Amino acid sequence: MGTENPGRPSFPATPFAAAPPTMTPFSNSGSVVGSEASNLRPMRPTVPPNTSPPMTAGPAGSGESPAFRPAPPTRFNDPSLPTPPSSYGPPAAGTFNRFPTPPFGSMPPGPPARAPVVGQPPFQPPPSQVSPPLSFRPQGQIPGVPMGSPPPGVNTPQIDSSFPASRPNFQPSFPPTVSGYPAAGASSQLPLPGYVKQSNAPFQAPQGPPVQSPFQSPPVGYAPSAPTPSPHFLSQQGGLAQAPPVASPYGLHSSTMPPMGAMQGLIEDFSSLSIGSVPGSIDPGVDSKSLPRPLEGDVEPNSLPEGYSLNCNPRYLRLTTNAIPNSQSLVSRWHLPLGAVVCPLAQAPEGEEVSVLNFVSSGIIRCRRCRTYVNPFVTFTDSGRKWRCNICALLNDVPGDYFAHLDATGRRVDLDQRPELTKGSVEFVAPTEYMVRPPMPPLYFFLIDVSISSVRSGMIEVVAKTIKSCLDDLPGFPRTQIGFITYDSTVHFYNMKSSLTQPQMMVVSDLDDIFIPLPDDLLVNLSESRTVVEAFLDSLPTMFQDNLNMESAFGPALKAAFMVMSQLGGKLLIFQNTMPSLGVGRLKLRGDDPRAYGTDKEYSLRVPEDPFYKQMAADFTKFQIGVNVYAFSDKYSDLASIGTLAKYTGGQLYYYPSFQAANHSEKLSHELTRDLTRETAWEAVMRIRCGKGIRFTSYHGNFMLRSTDLVALPAVDCDKAYAMQLSLEETLLTNQTVYFQVALLYTASCGERRIRVHTAAAPVVSDLGEMYRQADTGAIVSMLSRLAIEKTMSSKLEDVRSNVHLRIVKALREYRNLYAVQHRLGGRLIYPESLKFLPLYGLALCKSTPLRGGYSDVPLDERCAAGFTMMALPVKNLLKLLYPSLVQLDDYLLKPSASADEFRKVMKRLPLTADSLDSRGLYVYDDGLQIVLWFGRMLSPDIAMNLLGPDAAAELSRVTLVERETEMSRRLMGLLKKLRESDPSYHQLCNLVRQGEQPREGFMVLTKLVEDQTGGTNGYVDWLIQLHRQVQQNA
Amino acid sequence: MVKLTMIARVTDGLPLAEGLDDGREVKDVELYKQQVKALFKNLANRPNEPSRMSVETGPYVFHYIIEGRVCYLTMCDRAYPKKLAYQYLEDLKNEFERVNGPQIETAARPYAFIKFDTFIQRTKKLYQDTHTQRNIAKLNDELYEVHQIMTRNVQEVLGVGEKLDQVSEMSSRLTSESRIYADKARDLNRQALIRKWAPVAIVFGVVFLLFWVKTKIW
C-alpha cells in the first residue's frame, strides 16, 4: 500500500486535480455496492492526494482480498475467451483479455452477462452495477483502460507476480491474457488519441466527473494489490502525461491496477464518453450541482446545418428532431415522439414581422398537385419557365406575370424582390377563391353568470370594468360586434340598439325550448352602440347585486348564445361561476371521488360526462365560434366537462379557484384584457404539408379536426401552439431532404383574409445518432406532455407517469446501445447533448399539475384546467411552467443602484431544490402563471420592513404587495413588472410566503421544487439513478 | 325586404364589399351568391350592358346599378317595391363613392372596403319596413323612372354562354355515342355470322375426322 501512496499524490497533478469535488457523490454508490462499500467510504476522503492512508485501511479492513481470490478463477476463465468482441476498439480488447471479456462485450446487455461472471463475492459490486451503477462502473472501466499502459512489459510482470500469489488457478488462464495484452497495449494507444480527438472539446467539461470516478475505483479494487503497482504506476504516469486529458484517467487506473486490482478494474466498465461529438454523461450518484439544468430557459435550436438558413424561425415551427429518419426501423428505434410543434402566430420581435404579399392579381403560386405554396425551396428550371415543387417534385408552369429570367447560377434575377422566395415565413393576401363569405368582423360575445356566488365574489364587477376599459382597444374598429347574455336560473338578453339610451333586458325562462326574443340588436356594432354598451356595463354590477339565485341555466344560455352568434361566428367568452344545474347540459356533482383513484375508473373523472358539451363545441367550431371559458368556482364544478367547450373550439380555459375580487381582480383583468385585445386570427384553418413518404397522422392541442388533416381554429392568437406527429408512409425515404409547410388561412381583425405560410426543411438521415444529435428537447417535451395529458383521459395517472418514464428510458437505452458498445460506457448514464435536459423535464412533467400524485395532491378541477392550459401552451411557456425560474433577490435589493444590465445578471436562475433556498434570503419563484415571493426565516427584518411596511409581521397570506415609499420596494415592483412583461400571456399574481408557514409554503413552493423528493416522488438524483438503472437493465 | 347586398368592381368582378350578416332568412343563400358572382363576371365580359337592370331569380329579384365602374347589387323579395330597392342602391352608391371613391381603381384585394358593411347594414334597416313614413314618402316620389328599367330572367342573363356550352356538349355526346353504336353493330354482325355457320362447320369437321380415323385404322 505504501507504494501506492506515492503514486496517488501524483494524480492530483494530472488532470484529475479537478476531480476531487465530484468525489463525494460516490459515497452513495459506495454504499450501494455492498460488500465493497466499506472500502469505498474510506476512500472518498482519501481520494485526493491523501488517499493513501485510508486506502490501505480500507482494503485491509474489509478483508477484500479473500473475497477477491475466489472470484478470479472464474473470471479468468471467461476472459480466456480469447478474442474480445470485435466491436470493441483495440483498447477494449486489452482490457478484456485480462478480464472477463464476455462481460464487457455484453456491456450493453451487460448486467446479466456479468452477473454470472462477476458473481463471485468480491465482485458483487460489478454485477450489482445496475444499482450502484454509475459510480462503480466508471471505475471498473477505467482500470480496463490500463491497457493504456504503454509498456506492456511492465504490466505483464506485475500481473504474473501478483497472480501466482493470489491463486494458482490463474496461471493457466494467464498466457492468453499476456499475449493478448501487448497487442492490446499497442493498439490501445491508438484508440486513445482517437478518443481524445472526439471528446476533446465537447467533453472536457463532463470529463471532470468521470475522471473522479476512476479515481475512486482504484482504491477500492486495488488496495490489496497496492505494493506491486507502484513502479508500474509511475512508469505509466509518465506515459500518460503526454496523453490527452482523457487518456490520463486511464493511465491512472492502470497504474493503480495491481494484479488483483486489474481484475477488478477490468470488470467495471469504461467511463469514456468518447461518443461522437455531442453526448454527455453523468454520474448520478455524484454532484447534484453538476446535473444539467435548463437555467437558461428554453433554447431554440439555432444550429441548423448549412443550407437550412431559409427555414422559418423556430418560434413558428419546431421539429422534435431536425433530422428525419429515412426508414421505419429507424423511427421505431427513436422512442421519442417524432413530429412538430407549430405556433403559427407566434409574436415576432420588433422588426421581424412576417411580410404581407399581395398576389391577388396574378393568383398565388401553388403546386398543381399538392397545393404547396411557393417557397424558398422551390427550384426554377427551363430558364425560368417552370418550377419544381419541393414537396411533391412536380414540375409546374410559371405563370406569365410571375416569370423572371434565371441568372447563370440558376437563381431568379428578381430574387431580392421576392420575399416569398427568400424568407421561410410570409403572408399572402388571399384572393376571393379562399373565401366562402366576406371576411367576418371581429365579434365578442359575453356569457356571464350572475348567480349569487359571482355577485359575492365580485367577479361581475371586475369583468364589467375590464370589458369597459377594453372597448377602445378591441381589434377591428369600426366593424367590431359585441353582445351580452347573462344567466342564472333564467336567461337574460339585452337589446343594445344604437337608438336606445339604456339597454333593454329581456328575460327568457323557458329553458327547455330556448328562443331568441329579438331578431337583431342582441349583437350590435360596437362603434354605433357604444353608449348603450357602456351604460350596460356600468349598470351590470348593480343590476344583480341583490340576486339570491343560486341556480345556473348554463346549457340553455349557451344555446342562446350560439343562436345569436351562429350567423357570424366570433369569440364567445364565458364567465362561469356555478355548476350548471338547470336545463340541458346540467351536470351532476359527480365529485372528486377519492375511491376512484388508482382504479380503472379513475380516468372517467377527467373526461366530460355529458356529450352535450362536446356536441356544442362541434357546432361552435362549425360556425366559426371560438370559446374561452373563465371559471371561478370555489367548489367542484366539473371543468372536465365545461372545458371541452374551449378544447374543441381552439379556445382556452382560465381558472381562478376561489376567486375573490380583492385578491384576484388584477389577474383576471389582465388576462381578460389580453384575451380581448391581442391580435386574433378569425375563422382560421390550418394545414401542414410535408414531403412525399411522410405524413402527419395525429394532432394534439385545442382544436377540432375538420377533415383528416385540416385543423379548424375559429379564433387563434399568438398564445396557442399545436403539435402533430409524423409517421413514415414508405419504408424507405429516398430523398435527401424533407420539407414542411404550415399554412394558416385566416381573417385578420382588419378584415383582410390572409394566408400565413411557414416553410422549413430538414435533412433525411439514416443514422440514429444524428437524429439524437439534432433532437430538440423543447419540442419533445411539449409533445410528450400533450400525449401524456391526452392519456390521462383514458388511463390512470400512475400509468401515464410510468409511460413518460418508460419513453425516456427507452430513448436513452437506444442511445446507449448506439454508443456504449463501442466505447464501453458501462457505468454512466449517457445521453446526447441535445437531450441533456430531457430527464429533468420528464421528471417535471410527472410532477406537473395534470399528472402529479393522486386524489389529495391536486383538486380535480385544477388538474383538468392545467391540462387544458398545457395543451395549448407554446414551447417556451410550457418549459417555463415545467421548470420555473427561482431567483434570489435580496442581494439585488440591497445593492444601491441597478441598471437594466445588472437586472439580467440578477436574474440568475437557481436549481429548483430546497437547497437553493437560503433562510436568510428573499427569493422569487416564477412559473409563468404565478409568482411567489419566498421570505426566508432569517431574512433581515430591514428588507421585510421596507417591502411590506407594517405588515411585515403579519401572516403573509393576508398581505398584498403594494408599492411603498421605499427605494427597495420600488425596485422590487419594477422587477416584478419586468418579469410580467417578459411573459404577457398570463398575469402572474404575486403570492407572499414565509419560510415555515405551513401549509401555504408547502403547496406554493415546496411541492413545486421539482428536483426535490416530495410526497413519495423522486428527486432529480433518484430519478436519474432510476432511469439509469432501467436503461441498463434490459439493455 | 333586402336580402343580400353586394358591391363589386365591374372591370374585373372583384368584390369590394358585402352586407354583414346577409341572407339569414334565405334558403339556398349560397346558390344566389353564386349567381351574383356569375352575374358580375358576365358584366365584366360585356361592358355594354345597361347600367340599371332587374333580374328575376326564383322568388327573388336582383336589382343592380352600375355607376363609376362599380356595380351595386341587392337581392329582394319580388314583392318589394322596385322603387325602394333602387333608392337603396342609390344611397349606397352615394356613400360608397364619397368614402372610397379614389381608391376604387387601386383596390387590389377582395373585400378591400369591407368596412363599408356597417353602413350597408345601417341603411338596410331603414329600408326593411316598407310601411314606415319615410319609405312611403319615397315611394310616392317620382324621382326615378323605375318602370323603364328592364327586367329579365336570370337564366337569360347567365344562360347565353351556357346554351352554347350545352349545344357543343350535346354534339360531342352525339359523336361519341354514334361511334359506340358503330362498334356495337360491327360486333353484332360478327356474332350473327358465327351463329349461322358454326353448326355446319362442326358437322363437316366431325365427318372429316371420322373419315380420317377410318383411313388410319383400316
Side-chain angles (χ1 to χ4, degrees):
Chain A
M1 299 306 289
T3 45
E4 245 196 333
N5 294 341
R8 290 268 158 75
S10 65
F11 287 123
T14 55
F16 298 150
T22 28
M23 303 299 293
T24 45
F26 283 97
S27 62
N28 298 340
S29 61
S31 59
V32 184
V33 179
S35 65
E36 292 217 345
S38 60
N39 298 341
L40 286 186
R41 283 181 192 151
M43 298 303 300
R44 277 178 264 127
T46 51
V47 176
N50 300 338
T51 22
S52 60
M55 294 274 306
T56 53
S62 62
E64 267 202 336
S65 53
F68 272 96
R69 279 165 199 164
T74 33
R75 270 179 217 151
F76 269 95
N77 295 342
D78 287 358
S80 57
L81 310 181
T83 45
S86 56
S87 62
Y88 295 116
T95 6
F96 296 147
N97 282 350
R98 289 188 183 175
F99 259 57
T101 3
F104 273 58
S106 55
M107 275 286 326
R114 263 180 221 161
V117 181
V118 187
Q120 291 72 14
F123 286 103
Q124 285 283 357
S128 61
Q129 284 163 352
V130 185
S131 56
L134 318 179
S135 60
F136 262 92
R137 298 247 180 83
Q139 301 173 356
Q141 284 195 344
I142 299 162
V145 187
M147 326 35 125
S149 62
V154 181
N155 273 346
T156 38
Q158 284 183 354
I159 296 170
D160 284 351
S161 64
S162 63
F163 273 19
S166 59
R167 281 262 162 148
N169 297 347
F170 287 112
Q171 295 268 355
S173 58
F174 240 50
T177 11
V178 176
S179 62
Y181 197 82
S187 51
S188 69
Q189 289 236 349
L190 293 177
L192 282 181
Y195 169 52
V196 173
K197 265 185 230 149
Q198 295 173 337
S199 60
N200 247 348
F203 284 97
Q204 284 290 15
Q207 286 280 342
V211 177
Q212 302 161 354
S213 58
F215 230 118
Q216 284 196 342
S217 68
V220 182
Y222 306 66
S225 58
T228 25
S230 67
H232 165 56
F233 179 19
L234 290 177
S235 66
Q236 283 213 350
Q237 280 236 337
L240 292 176
Q242 299 138 355
V246 185
S248 60
Y250 305 143
L252 288 180
H253 292 291
S254 66
S255 67
T256 38
M257 311 247 314
M260 305 258 309
M263 304 167 6
Q264 199 193 14
L266 292 174
I267 297 167
E268 310 261 15
D269 301 341
F270 187 148
S271 66
S272 87
L273 299 176
S274 58
I275 313 113
S277 49
V278 222
S281 86
I282 319 178
D283 263 327
V286 192
D287 186 2
S288 65
K289 283 195 196 89
S290 66
L291 298 178
R293 288 188 179 86
L295 299 181
E296 301 300 317
D298 173 35
V299 181
E300 290 178 349
N302 49 6
S303 59
L304 285 176
E306 193 66 19
Y308 297 99
S309 54
L310 297 175
N311 276 4
C312 63
N313 191 294
R315 72 176 151 259
Y316 302 117
L317 171 70
R318 286 171 77 163
L319 296 170
T320 55
T321 172
N322 278 306
I324 301 303
N326 74 340
S327 66
Q328 284 290 4
S329 65
L330 214 52
V331 176
S332 59
R333 287 171 66 201
W334 158 263
H335 295 274
L336 297 167
L338 180 64
V341 180
V342 175
C343 184
L345 291 172
Q347 234 160 2
E350 202 85 356
E352 288 184 39
E353 289 89 356
V354 178
S355 40
V356 179
L357 312 172
N358 194 333
F359 273 91
V360 170
S361 49
S362 63
I364 297 176
I365 319 291
R366 296 178 71 176
C367 172
R368 253 184 304 136
R369 182 164 63 196
C370 64
R371 312 300 292 146
T372 299
Y373 295 84
V374 69
N375 62 65
F377 301 100
V378 303
T379 45
F380 287 84
T381 56
D382 199 7
S383 61
R385 283 193 295 272
K386 307 239 175 189
W387 62 274
R388 188 175 292 284
C389 169
N390 54 326
I391 288 195
C392 70
L394 184 76
L395 211 53
N396 293 275
D397 292 330
V398 175
D401 29 6
Y402 195 63
F403 174 80
H405 290 285
L406 302 186
D407 65 10
T409 58
R411 290 159 22 123
R412 282 170 66 108
V413 289
D414 63 349
L415 199 63
D416 49 342
Q417 291 141 36
R418 293 287 182 189
E420 74 276 11
L421 296 179
T422 52
K423 287 184 185 166
S425 303
V426 286
E427 249 178 31
F428 298 107
V429 174
T432 349
E433 302 88 73
Y434 295 80
M435 307 178 186
V436 288
R437 58 173 184 174
M440 60 176 275
L443 186 154
Y444 294 91
F445 200 85
F446 300 88
L447 189 58
I448 304 171
D449 182 354
V450 291
S451 61
I452 183 166
S453 51
S454 37
V455 178
R456 290 253 173 90
S457 65
M459 178 272 277
I460 298 182
E461 196 175 350
V462 180
V463 169
K465 258 194 206 147
T466 309
I467 296 174
K468 192 177 170 202
S469 70
C470 288
L471 290 181
D472 277 327
D473 301 321
L474 288 182
F477 175 85
R479 299 179 69 215
T480 319
Q481 306 271 314
I482 197 168
F484 298 86
I485 286 181
T486 59
Y487 64 97
D488 43 26
S489 61
T490 52
V491 181
H492 323 130
F493 296 84
Y494 298 88
N495 178 357
M496 308 245 205
K497 200 174 172 144
S498 55
S499 51
L500 300 171
T501 49
Q502 280 288 320
Q504 282 175 348
M505 175 167 159
M506 283 153 287
V507 179
V508 173
S509 52
D510 180 3
L511 299 181
D512 295 328
D513 184 20
I514 193 86
F515 61 93
I516 302 183
L518 200 69
D520 313 295
D521 300 321
L522 296 178
L523 197 56
V524 294
N525 183 299
L526 176 60
S527 49
E528 284 170 10
S529 300
R530 178 68 183 260
T531 48
V532 193
V533 172
E534 280 185 357
F536 168 73
L537 289 171
D538 284 337
S539 57
L540 181 62
T542 49
M543 239 190 294
F544 293 100
Q545 64 187 355
D546 299 323
N547 192 356
L548 294 179
N549 204 322
M550 293 167 58
E551 303 289 341
S552 158
F554 180 60
L558 202 60
K559 284 196 134 177
F562 172 70
M563 286 189 251
V564 177
M565 295 176 76
S566 59
Q567 210 42 236
L568 286 176
K571 205 163 182 171
L572 173 64
L573 293 94
I574 298 172
F575 299 87
Q576 196 263 354
N577 219 322
T578 332
M579 186 110 150
S581 60
L582 292 177
V584 59
R586 69 180 148 259
L587 295 169
K588 289 196 296 273
L589 200 70
R590 55 179 170 159
D592 195 1
D593 185 359
R595 281 165 304 177
Y597 280 84
T599 68
D600 293 338
K601 289 262 180 207
E602 181 191 316
Y603 72 90
S604 63
L605 293 176
R606 292 185 287 270
V607 296
E609 185 182 34
D610 189 341
F612 169 76
Y613 290 98
K614 189 161 180 195
Q615 186 52 48
M616 274 318 277
D619 290 344
F620 278 132
T621 311
K622 200 166 145 204
F623 289 91
Q624 308 292 359
I625 301 169
V627 180
N628 280 0
V629 179
Y630 292 75
F632 302 92
S633 180
D634 48 350
K635 293 188 291 270
Y636 173 73
S637 57
D638 202 355
L639 291 187
S641 296
I642 294 168
T644 47
L645 285 175
K647 178 171 173 57
Y648 292 110
T649 59
Q652 223 172 325
L653 171 70
Y654 297 87
Y655 183 42
Y656 307 85
S658 356
F659 179 85
Q660 282 305 321
N663 303 331
H664 301 92
S665 68
E666 211 180 324
K667 183 171 170 69
L668 171 60
S669 87
H670 174 97
E671 285 168 8
L672 180 54
T673 304
R674 179 160 173 95
D675 190 8
L676 293 177
T677 57
R678 64 187 160 194
E679 180 55 50
T680 303
W682 307 87
E683 46 179 357
V685 289
M686 182 173 76
R687 174 171 271 140
I688 177 164
R689 294 182 172 81
C690 55
K692 247 195 327 197
I694 54 178
R695 198 161 55 91
F696 282 100
T697 45
S698 64
Y699 296 77
H700 311 275
N702 291 354
F703 56 79
M704 187 162 266
L705 273 186
R706 193 170 289 171
S707 61
T708 49
D709 63 341
L710 189 65
V711 177
L713 302 166
V716 54
D717 51 66
C718 58
D719 298 327
K720 312 263 162 60
Y722 307 90
M724 39 218 92
Q725 286 196 94
L726 268 182
S727 70
L728 260 62
E729 276 187 319
E730 293 163 17
T731 39
L732 207 62
L733 292 185
T734 47
N735 28 355
Q736 299 286 302
T737 316
V738 286
Y739 301 91
F740 299 92
Q741 188 170 67
V742 182
L744 178 82
L745 171 63
Y746 71 98
T747 301
S749 296
C750 62
E752 241 179 79
R753 193 98 171 123
R754 294 181 184 163
I755 308 161
R756 182 175 276 227
V757 178
H758 302 297
T759 315
V764 173
V765 298
S766 56
D767 169 24
L768 189 60
E770 183 64 20
M771 282 181 73
Y772 279 108
R773 219 164 294 140
Q774 298 293 341
D776 176 353
T777 310
I780 290 174
V781 171
S782 173
M783 189 79 92
L784 276 180
S785 64
R786 282 159 197 254
L787 293 173
I789 291 167
E790 276 176 11
K791 201 155 192 304
T792 61
M793 307 288 179
S794 59
S795 43
K796 286 185 276 187
L797 291 178
E798 177 111 31
D799 295 349
V800 175
R801 288 190 297 257
S802 62
N803 202 36
V804 170
H805 179 92
L806 195 66
R807 268 198 116 143
I808 297 176
V809 167
K810 276 189 188 156
L812 292 181
R813 183 185 302 150
E814 197 64 49
Y815 187 73
R816 179 185 180 77
N817 290 351
L818 213 55
Y819 290 110
V821 179
Q822 284 148 268
H823 301 284
R824 306 183 309 286
L825 298 176
R828 0 196 83 237
L829 181 56
I830 68 169
Y831 47 80
E833 175 76 13
S834 58
L835 293 181
K836 63 182 170 192
F837 301 135
L838 182 64
L840 180 55
Y841 279 126
L843 176 67
L845 178 59
C846 291
K847 292 184 173 189
S848 63
T849 318
L851 302 189
R852 175 164 12 121
Y855 166 72
S856 58
D857 294 282
V858 188
L860 184 59
D861 275 346
E862 222 165 289
R863 201 186 282 280
C864 293
F868 289 123
T869 304
M870 281 170 66
M871 287 298 278
L873 280 185
V875 174
K876 230 185 191 71
N877 303 45
L878 178 71
L879 293 187
K880 188 166 178 202
L881 180 61
L882 288 180
Y883 196 88
S885 64
L886 180 69
V887 175
Q888 184 168 12
L889 285 186
D890 44 322
D891 287 349
Y892 166 77
L893 294 176
L894 287 174
K895 248 181 269 165
S897 76
S899 57
D901 190 53
E902 203 174 338
F903 170 76
R904 212 164 299 124
K905 212 163 45 184
V906 169
M907 299 310 294
K908 193 169 143 281
R909 295 174 61 175
L910 300 169
L912 279 178
T913 78
D915 297 342
S916 306
L917 296 171
D918 180 352
S919 61
R920 278 163 303 182
L922 172 68
Y923 294 81
V924 62
Y925 163 96
D926 173 18
D927 66 4
L929 299 184
Q930 64 162 349
I931 288 177
V932 179
L933 270 186
W934 186 90
F935 289 79
R937 199 182 289 125
M938 323 267 283
L939 178 67
S940 94
D942 189 34
I943 297 184
M945 280 303 281
N946 268 319
L947 296 181
L948 304 176
D951 297 334
E955 198 187 321
L956 289 184
S957 57
R958 302 218 193 86
V959 179
T960 45
L961 196 63
V962 288
E963 183 156 332
R964 291 177 196 276
E965 286 306 303
T966 59
E967 168 69 14
M968 210 180 276
S969 170
R970 260 194 297 274
R971 287 176 63 184
L972 177 69
M973 296 312 274
L975 188 121
L976 293 182
K977 192 158 159 254
K978 268 192 192 142
L979 280 181
R980 285 172 183 155
E981 278 167 0
S982 70
D983 179 11
S985 51
Y986 288 92
H987 180 82
Q988 297 86 12
L989 209 57
C990 188
N991 294 298
L992 310 179
V993 163
R994 185 175 283 129
Q995 186 180 15
E997 197 176 47
Q998 293 299 358
R1000 243 170 134 255
E1001 189 196 14
F1003 71 80
M1004 282 200 163
V1005 180
L1006 298 187
T1007 53
K1008 307 252 173 92
L1009 298 175
V1010 295
E1011 289 186 24
D1012 279 347
Q1013 217 166 342
T1014 45
T1017 57
N1018 281 325
Y1020 190 17
V1021 172
D1022 300 333
W1023 168 265
L1024 279 181
I1025 292 179
Q1026 202 185 336
L1027 274 183
H1028 179 66
R1029 211 172 287 165
Q1030 295 187 357
V1031 164
Q1032 293 213 314
Q1033 252 165 18
N1034 332 338
Chain B
M1 287 244 284
V2 175
K3 302 291 185 193
L4 271 183
T5 312
M6 291 171 112
I7 301 176
R9 192 160 62 191
V10 175
T11 40
D12 51 4
L14 186 78
L16 299 177
E18 190 172 322
L20 180 74
D21 191 10
D22 266 349
R24 185 155 35 172
E25 312 95 11
V26 183
K27 258 205 280 173
D28 301 327
V29 69
E30 285 311 312
L31 170 79
Y32 295 116
K33 284 193 179 177
Q34 285 306 323
Q35 286 188 349
V36 173
K37 276 174 197 160
L39 201 64
F40 283 152
K41 222 167 270 169
N42 255 342
L43 293 176
N45 296 337
R46 280 176 290 149
N48 297 327
E49 287 286 306
S51 72
R52 268 147 221 261
M53 181 136 74
S54 297
V55 180
E56 292 176 341
T57 171
Y60 305 106
V61 189
F62 295 135
H63 303 285
Y64 70 78
I65 61 177
I66 299 173
E67 199 94 13
R69 303 227 252 166
V70 177
C71 176
Y72 306 85
L73 182 145
T74 182
M75 185 177 88
C76 311
D77 291 325
R78 285 196 180 211
Y80 192 79
K82 228 178 185 185
K83 213 181 263 178
L84 275 189
Y86 281 99
Q87 178 71 51
Y88 167 63
L89 291 177
E90 209 69 31
D91 283 2
L92 292 188
K93 187 204 76 180
N94 292 339
E95 177 69 8
F96 193 75
E97 279 179 352
R98 189 180 67 78
V99 179
N100 304 312
Q103 301 146 34
I104 292 171
E105 281 309 303
T106 53
R109 62 183 175 87
Y111 298 108
F113 308 111
I114 190 67
K115 282 179 185 160
F116 194 67
D117 64 0
T118 55
F119 180 82
I120 296 179
Q121 175 141 13
R122 212 160 41 208
T123 318
K124 192 169 86 179
K125 274 181 194 153
L126 296 180
Y127 284 89
Q128 208 72 288
D129 187 357
T130 47
H131 301 299
T132 58
Q133 201 54 48
R134 175 181 169 283
N135 287 344
I136 289 172
K138 286 215 161 129
L139 278 172
N140 294 333
D141 253 0
E142 283 298 328
L143 260 179
Y144 303 98
E145 299 296 308
V146 183
H147 51 270
Q148 287 177 6
I149 294 174
M150 210 180 356
T151 304
R152 291 164 68 183
N153 189 281
V154 74
Q155 296 309 331
E156 267 175 72
V157 180
L158 299 181
V160 180
E162 252 171 53
K163 269 179 198 150
L164 275 178
D165 286 348
Q166 271 176 0
V167 171
S168 74
E169 195 193 325
M170 269 154 80
S171 71
S172 70
R173 205 187 306 144
L174 212 60
T175 43
S176 73
E177 273 175 9
S178 67
R179 200 172 299 133
I180 293 172
Y181 177 76
D183 286 349
K184 279 215 172 125
R186 208 173 301 132
D187 205 43
L188 279 175
N189 235 341
R190 202 180 309 123
Q191 278 184 20
L193 205 74
I194 292 171
R195 216 170 286 164
K196 197 171 174 186
W197 294 107
V200 180
I202 291 170
V203 170
F204 274 100
V206 172
V207 170
F208 280 120
L209 194 73
L210 285 177
F211 271 115
W212 179 71
V213 170
K214 204 170 143 193
T215 49
K216 273 280 168 188
I217 294 173
W218 299 104

